[in-house]
Amino acid sequence: MSAHTSNPEQPRPPSGFSPFIRHAASILAMVVFITIGLLFLWEMKTLILVIFLAILLSIFLRWLTDHLQQRTPLKGLWALFTVVIALLAITAGAGWLMAPAIATQVEAIREMIPQALNELQTWVAQTSAGPRIFAELGDLDPARFLTNEVLGQLGGAFAGGINFLTNAALVFVVGVYLAIDPETYKRGLIHLIPRHYRPRAEIILDVCTHQMIWWLLGRLLAMAAVAVIVAIGLWALGIPLPFTLGLIAGLFSFVPILGSIVSFLPAALVALLIGPEFILWAGLVFLGAQAIEGNLLTPLVQKRFVSLPHALTLISQVIGGILFGLVGVTVATPLAVLLMALVNMIYVEDILGDTTPYSDLVEKLHAL
C-alpha cells in the first residue's frame, strides 16, 4: 500500500476549543436569544393582549356562526356576516335607546359626588377616629381634587380613551378576520409542532377553544344577572340612579371578584347621600348578586368546562394588573383559564402521565 494513501480512520485535528467551552458557548447563546425574545414580547405586551382579546372574540363569533348554520340555511360568510351585523345592530340599538338616559344619570352622579364627599366628611368626623384621619388627609373639599395637576391628567385620560378606541377597533377587525376561516390559522399553528405530537396538539387546541367559549358565555350570563339584580335591589332601597349603577356593576362583572369590588364604589357614594346605613344595604345587594351568580348561575356553566379556583382567579388578576395594567386585569382570568388547561394537558398528563379533569372533558368532546 502506498505511503501516500490516507487513513480513513485518522482522527481530525482538534478545533482548538474544549467540549466544555463549546457547551458553555451554546448555553450562553441560548440565554441571549431567550432574553432577546422575552424583551421583545415585553415591548409588544399590549399588542399581544389585544390579539388575545381578538382571538377570544373570534371564538365567540365562530360559536354563534356555527349555531346559526345548524339552524338556518345560511352558510359560510353569509352566516358570519349575519352574526356580526346582528351584534352591531343590537349594540347600536341599545346604545341609542339607553345613551340619553345613561348620560343624564352619569351627569347626575358627577354632580352628586361633591355632596357625597361632604356627607362622608360629616359622617367620618362623628367617629372616634375622625380627627386623626382629617389630621392626615385634610378636609375632603371637592375643590382640592380640581388642582392643575389633576386637570392636567385629563389630557392623559383623553389620550388613553383614544388608545382604547383604537385597540377596540383592532380587536374587532382582527377577530372578524380570524372568525372567517379559523381552520387556516389552526393548521398553521399545528404545523409548527413536531409531527408526532400534532394529533395531541389538535385535541389540546379543541379543549382550549371549548374552555374559552364556555368561560365567555358564563361571564356574559353573570354580567346580565348582576346588572339586573343590582338595579332591582338598589331601586327597591330607593337609592338614586339604580339602573345606571346596575349597568356599571354588570359591565365590571366581566372581571370576576375585583370588578365587583370596583363597581360597588360609585353605588356606595350615591347611597351615602341617603344615609351612611344605606352603604351597608347597598353592600348587601352587591353581595346577594354575587352569591346568586356564584352559587346558582356559575355552577350551571361549570358543568360544561373546567373552572378556575377563586384564589387563582384573584392571584392572576393581581399579577396581570401589576405587569400589564388595566388591560392585564381584564384578560387575566381567561388567560389563567387557558394556561391552566395547557399546564394540565401538556405537563401533568403528557409528561407526568397523571390524569386531570381535562381527561374527562376530552372524552365528553369526543362523544359530541
Side-chain angles (χ1 to χ4, degrees):
M1 180 180 293
S2 172
H4 297 286
T5 303
S6 60
N7 186 358
E9 298 181 357
Q10 182 179 359
R12 291 181 296 178
S15 61
F17 296 102
S18 66
F20 173 78
I21 294 179
R22 290 197 298 269
H23 183 65
S26 300
I27 294 177
L28 179 61
M30 184 181 301
V31 170
V32 170
F33 281 122
I34 292 176
T35 303
I36 293 174
L38 291 176
L39 289 174
F40 175 77
L41 292 177
W42 178 256
E43 291 297 325
M44 302 293 291
K45 59 182 182 296
T46 302
L47 180 60
I48 293 174
L49 295 178
V50 167
I51 292 175
F52 176 75
L53 287 174
I55 294 174
L56 197 61
L57 174 63
S58 70
I59 292 173
F60 180 61
L61 292 177
R62 195 69 242 176
W63 183 81
L64 291 176
T65 301
D66 291 342
H67 279 268
L68 182 64
Q69 291 181 134
Q70 293 172 5
R71 293 166 173 78
T72 67
L74 295 173
K75 301 297 179 184
L77 287 177
W78 285 110
L80 177 61
F81 179 76
T82 303
V83 167
V84 172
I85 294 299
L87 291 177
L88 291 176
I90 293 172
T91 304
W96 182 74
L97 292 174
M98 300 173 60
I102 292 176
T104 302
Q105 295 191 6
V106 168
E107 179 64 20
I109 291 176
R110 189 188 67 82
E111 294 176 355
M112 289 178 180
I113 288 177
Q115 182 181 353
L117 290 174
N118 290 331
E119 293 285 345
L120 178 62
Q121 178 175 328
T122 302
W123 179 64
V124 172
Q126 295 173 353
T127 64
S128 59
R132 186 168 63 254
I133 293 175
F134 288 128
E136 295 290 336
L137 301 179
D139 293 339
L140 296 177
D141 183 4
R144 293 178 56 214
F145 298 99
L146 298 178
T147 61
N148 291 333
E149 180 180 354
V150 174
L151 292 176
Q153 292 177 353
L154 294 178
F158 177 77
I162 296 298
N163 186 51
F164 171 79
L165 293 177
T166 302
N167 289 335
L170 180 62
V171 168
F172 177 76
V173 173
V174 175
V176 171
Y177 272 101
L178 290 175
I180 291 176
D181 187 14
E183 290 300 321
T184 298
Y185 305 100
K186 180 180 177 180
R187 287 195 300 269
L189 182 60
I190 292 296
H191 285 166
L192 298 177
I193 298 172
R195 188 181 298 274
H196 71 276
Y197 199 72
R198 289 177 185 177
R200 175 64 173 171
E202 290 191 28
I203 295 175
I204 293 175
L205 283 179
D206 290 339
V207 170
C208 290
T209 301
H210 180 86
Q211 287 286 99
M212 290 294 95
I213 187 58
W214 282 103
W215 177 87
L216 183 58
L217 291 175
R219 279 295 91 205
L220 293 176
L221 179 62
M223 291 167 65
V226 168
V228 172
I229 296 171
V230 169
I232 294 176
L234 297 181
W235 172 79
L237 291 174
I239 294 177
L241 314 175
F243 300 108
T244 299
L245 295 174
L247 178 62
I248 293 173
L251 291 176
F252 276 79
S253 293
F254 182 80
V255 179
I257 303 177
L258 288 182
S260 302
I261 297 174
V262 173
S263 65
F264 173 67
L265 298 179
L269 277 177
V270 176
L272 185 62
L273 296 175
I274 304 177
E277 66 277 7
F278 279 87
I279 297 179
L280 175 61
W281 291 114
L284 291 177
V285 169
F286 274 78
L287 287 177
Q290 294 303 315
I292 293 174
E293 180 263 322
N295 296 302
L296 294 180
L297 300 179
T298 300
L300 293 177
V301 181
Q302 286 179 347
K303 295 178 181 179
R304 308 299 295 269
F305 80 110
V306 180
S307 61
L308 190 68
H310 293 301
L312 289 181
T313 300
L314 185 58
I315 292 172
S316 66
Q317 291 172 359
V318 172
I319 295 175
I322 293 174
L323 295 179
F324 309 113
L326 181 59
V327 178
V329 175
T330 304
V331 303
T333 307
L335 268 177
V337 171
L338 179 63
L339 290 176
M340 190 173 74
L342 293 175
V343 170
N344 275 273
M345 298 190 73
I346 296 176
Y347 180 71
V348 178
E349 293 184 6
D350 295 349
I351 296 179
L352 300 182
D354 204 350
T355 58
T356 69
Y358 297 90
S359 304
D360 298 333
L361 182 58
V362 170
E363 294 180 1
K364 292 179 181 178
L365 292 178
H366 284 171
L368 295 178

